[in-house]
Amino acid sequence: NEAGTVLYVANTTSNSVSVVDTGTNAVLTTIAVGLDPASLAVRPTANELWVSNHVSDTVSIIDIAPGSPTENSVIDTIQALNADGVTEFDEPVGIAFTPTGDKAYVALSSRNAITARLNVRAQDPRAIAVRNGLLFVAAFEGHNQTETGICPTENNSNAQCTLGLTDLQTFATNPNLPGEQKNIVVDASNPDRDLFVFRTDT
C-alpha cells in the first residue's frame, strides 16, 4: 500500500482489525484475529502487519502486500507453549521492530518482560519503540511508587498492610472483595522506574 492511503485499526472488543481507506474513511475489509487485539505494527520491508492479541497470548501476522493472493489475511500466528501446553507468551501488548525488520520486540505485560526475555524491572510493560539502535520500554505501573497493601499474615501491625492472608485467598475466587479495604498505598522504598532503555545490538 502507498504510505498513508490505508489505516489499520484494532477492534479490541470484536477481535478483529479493520482496514480503512484514508481518502474516503470507508472500511475496506475487516480481518479476524485473536482475542483482545491490543497493538499493531507494520514490519519494515516485509509487507506484514503484526497484531498482539492480549487475551489469546498470540501475535497474528497479516499479509498487507498489495495484490498478494493472501492480502489482508492472517498468514501466521506466533505463540509459545511449554510441554504442559501452558503459554510462555503471556499477555502480549506493544510491538516494535528494528529499522530493517529483522528483529521484533513484543512486550509481555504480565511477565514484566520483552520476548527473548529481557527483564523489565517494573510492572506491566506496554508501550515500546525502537530508535537509533535503542529499544525504549514504558511501564504501565510506574512513576508513583505505589503497591497494593498485601501482607503475608493477618493483623500485621505495618500501616502499609490492608490486604491480609484471608483476603488474598478470597481474592482468588472473588476479586472484588466486597466490603473489604483494598487500599493502594505509597511505599517510598519502591524503585520509581518509568522508562527502560536497551541496546538492540546486544
Side-chain angles (χ1 to χ4, degrees), residues 79-92:
Q79 64 179 353
L81 304 175
N82 66 18
D84 297 320
V86 177
T87 187
E88 294 184 339
F89 197 70
D90 204 14
E91 297 186 8

Side-chain angles (χ1 to χ4, degrees), residues 34-47:
L35 299 178
D36 200 27
S39 181
L40 307 173
V42 175
R43 182 179 180 188
T45 71
N47 283 317

Side-chain angles (χ1 to χ4, degrees), residues 83-178:
D84 297 320
V86 177
T87 187
E88 294 184 339
F89 197 70
D90 204 14
E91 297 186 8
V93 280
I95 302 172
F97 290 96
T98 54
T100 59
D102 62 344
K103 189 183 293 184
Y105 296 92
V106 181
L108 302 180
S109 59
S110 73
R111 296 291 180 98
N112 300 341
I114 306 296
T115 49
R117 300 305 187 260
L118 298 173
N119 182 39
V120 178
R121 294 170 295 148
Q123 185 177 347
D124 206 355
R126 290 193 181 182
I128 62 178
V130 173
R131 184 170 182 178
N132 297 331
L134 299 175
L135 168 68
F136 297 88
V137 182
F140 179 65
E141 302 290 353
H143 189 60
N144 54 17
Q145 295 182 302
T146 59
E147 64 185 8
T148 54
I150 294 175
C151 303
T153 60
E154 296 293 338
N155 302 318
N156 194 310
S157 60
N158 187 331
Q160 297 287 91
C161 297
T162 58
L163 287 175
L165 182 60
T166 301
D167 290 329
L168 294 176
Q169 291 168 339
T170 303
F171 183 80
T173 56
N174 186 358
N176 292 323
L177 292 177

